[in-house]
Amino acid sequence: MRGPFSSPTSKCLAQLAMLHAAHAFAAPLSSSSRWALRSPRSAGTIGKWRGGASSMSTAPPTSYDSSAYELKFTEMPSFTVSTEATAAAEWSGDLLVLPLYATPKPDGAADGWEKPDADLTEVAAAADSAFDGAVSSLVAMQEFKAGPKDSSAVFLGKSTAVKSVALVGMGEAGKVKYTGLGGALAALAKEQKCESMAVAVPEDIDDAAVQAMMQGMLDGLYSDNRYRTGDNIEKDVKLTSLTLVGTSVSTDGADRARKIMAGVNVCRDLVASPPNVVTPKSLAEMAVDVAMEHGLEAEILEREAVEALGMGAYMGVAKGSLEEHGPKFIHLTYKPPQTPTKKVAIVGKGLTFDSGGYNLKVGASLIELMKFDMGGSGATLGTAKAIGLLKPKDVEVHFIVAACENMISDKAMRPGDILTASNGKTIEVTADTSTRACSP
């Protein structure tokens, strides 16, 4: 029995929701029932809530003890992004990337029409001349069609100004998806192990396209090694600089992309973490960290405050858990420096594990995936991270997560129980559709 919450939020939907939301715009926590952080900027002596512990162990745990596992987050690659108005062939470094366009199918073409190899752009032709025909040879040898997922690279030699040159497909002109180009750049950065990379972007590329390209690239470079060991650990990319050559476009879009993807990665990290690491307590702890780092207000309601507010439906789900995994009602608030013209609330489901309660999830119910029931909270707190970095000027944003577990114990709710929600509505717990209202 899953209690009065919606169905599990998948990882992909959580990330997508977080991305769209981001685009649209201390004192230690004790056992008290209510805790608030109102002025994080001036709280120089405020400590971070660690559940009564001064720190958490960084050594691998020796037993199934959730306190031995620390909620950690992946680090985003820190390469620089710059622009150069010079010709691509004049750049020097490890890897020069030349985008090419696919030939569109002519009107009235026969059914057996085959797409020809890509033609060189003016920029690629100049590079081909500078590199003794290496670019055109690569197109011919690979039969490069310049589809959106096509890429190929060749080593030119250590004695040349450019060590390697790569081709990436842009698809047909006028149908370019810059997020896809960014993904191709990420793949090349991994494959070629380059420290410096330049991309001959179209001369008319705009700020929005730069942002989309960078989001795609940072998305492709994401690597989660937090719970991997030995040969399963992926090596970090060596990339330290990315240069957009042949343009003088601003890099503001790249900066925005980095801030948005910081929030997306927080969402990914939370959803991918196991339920003995992401608990109601660690979610609240992480929310406080975000508030302190980015100047948001934070309020965490403990079990006593939740009960005092009459949140019977919420407590019905939460009361089967151990005390250490008790409910944490999280409320973060971003307030702009000027009077807001609108207010937005983002609410995310925070069920860090849903066992099903006494209607235990068995068989094909995929109980081992029920950590994903907190995907909504991952999207919400990831959005809080992004908004804290972007700092929109005219919107006030509230981030709300009712974090808890749905577990089995002698205190857990039972099929047939009647709960009373904070709005006074009574709810009968059933085994078929989780709950149903008893009163209109």
Side-chain angles (χ1 to χ4, degrees):
M1 158 181 49
R2 289 156 43 195
F5 289 99
S6 60
S7 59
T9 306
S10 72
K11 176 181 177 182
C12 291
L13 287 177
Q15 293 176 15
L16 186 60
M18 199 252 106
L19 186 59
H20 280 285
H23 269 301
F25 24 176
L29 256 176
S30 65
S31 59
S32 61
S33 61
R34 181 188 293 262
W35 181 89
L37 170 64
R38 293 296 184 188
S39 302
R41 289 189 181 90
S42 61
T45 60
I46 292 179
K48 297 176 182 177
W49 171 39
R50 296 297 179 194
S54 59
S55 64
M56 288 188 176
S57 171
T58 57
T62 57
S63 64
Y64 189 83
D65 177 8
S66 61
S67 66
Y69 293 81
E70 183 178 2
L71 177 55
K72 299 179 181 179
F73 294 90
T74 58
E75 294 186 5
M76 186 179 296
S78 58
F79 58 91
T80 62
V81 180
S82 61
T83 61
E84 287 185 11
T86 57
E90 297 176 8
W91 179 79
S92 62
D94 292 338
L95 180 65
L96 174 63
V97 181
L98 301 171
L100 298 182
Y101 296 96
T103 302
K105 184 177 181 179
D107 293 338
D111 292 340
W113 180 82
E114 292 186 7
K115 189 179 292 292
D117 292 349
D119 292 327
L120 298 187
T121 62
E122 184 177 342
V123 173
D128 186 54
S129 178
F131 303 146
D132 296 326
V135 179
S136 55
S137 295
L138 183 59
V139 171
M141 287 189 298
Q142 299 296 325
E143 298 183 346
F144 194 77
K145 310 298 183 184
K149 296 183 179 180
D150 294 345
S151 67
S152 187
V154 64
F155 180 66
L156 300 180
K158 294 182 179 180
S159 61
T160 58
V162 173
K163 295 180 181 178
S164 299
V165 65
L167 307 176
V168 294
M170 298 278 278
E172 296 179 15
K175 300 180 180 180
V176 175
K177 295 185 181 299
Y178 280 94
T179 51
L181 173 59
L185 297 180
L188 285 169
K190 292 179 178 179
E191 294 167 3
Q192 299 299 312
K193 301 177 174 60
C194 55
E195 293 184 7
S196 58
M197 174 190 289
V199 188
V201 295
E203 186 177 359
D204 61 349
I205 190 172
D206 60 16
D207 187 68
V210 171
Q211 178 178 328
M213 182 181 70
M214 282 301 302
Q215 286 181 203
M217 186 172 184
L218 291 171
D219 179 57
L221 290 175
Y222 176 82
S223 179
D224 187 356
N225 286 317
R226 294 171 300 159
Y227 307 108
R228 292 173 175 162
T229 58
D231 294 338
N232 292 320
I233 297 176
E234 294 183 2
K235 293 183 179 180
D236 295 335
V237 292
K238 297 181 178 181
L239 189 66
T240 60
S241 66
L242 173 68
T243 305
L244 310 182
V245 293
T247 181
S248 57
V249 68
S250 169
T251 58
D252 290 347
D255 183 58
R256 286 196 305 275
R258 188 172 290 277
K259 292 174 179 178
I260 291 172
M261 293 307 297
V264 171
N265 288 355
V266 163
C267 174
R268 283 175 152 182
D269 290 347
L270 287 172
V271 174
S273 293
N276 60 322
V277 171
V278 175
T279 64
K281 184 175 75 172
S282 65
L283 270 184
E285 175 183 298
M286 175 265 175
V288 171
D289 288 347
V290 169
M292 293 181 67
E293 183 177 0
H294 301 296
L296 280 65
E297 295 180 358
E299 185 175 26
I300 311 296
L301 301 187
E302 304 273 359
R303 182 186 297 268
E304 294 85 353
V306 170
E307 291 176 340
L309 289 171
M311 298 182 181
Y314 177 30
M315 282 305 304
V317 178
K319 67 180 183 178
S321 297
L322 297 173
E323 186 64 31
E324 65 179 290
H325 298 319
K328 307 290 181 187
F329 191 93
I330 302 165
H331 182 188
L332 304 185
T333 306
Y334 167 79
K335 293 186 176 180
Q338 61 192 45
T339 302
T341 59
K342 58 183 176 181
K343 297 182 180 181
V344 177
I346 300 174
V347 182
K349 183 178 180 181
L351 203 55
T352 58
F353 189 76
D354 184 7
S355 70
Y358 280 112
N359 186 28
L360 188 66
K361 296 177 182 292
V362 296
S365 63
L366 300 177
I367 189 171
E368 69 275 9
L369 298 182
M370 288 301 102
K371 66 177 186 177
F372 292 156
D373 255 20
M374 49 64 59
S377 66
T380 300
L381 296 178
T383 304
K385 174 78 172 181
I387 292 295
L389 287 166
L390 291 167
K391 299 190 183 305
K393 295 180 179 179
D394 62 348
V395 60
E396 179 176 308
V397 189
H398 296 258
F399 307 92
I400 299 170
V401 171
C404 66
E405 289 183 333
N406 182 21
M407 299 296 286
I408 298 173
S409 74
D410 59 336
K411 298 179 181 179
M413 65 178 176
R414 297 148 297 206
D417 282 357
I418 292 180
L419 312 174
T420 303
S422 58
N423 64 356
K425 184 177 290 292
T426 52
I427 304 166
E428 180 184 8
V429 179
T430 67
D432 52 358
T433 58
S434 301
T435 59
R436 65 173 175 232
C438 297
S439 57

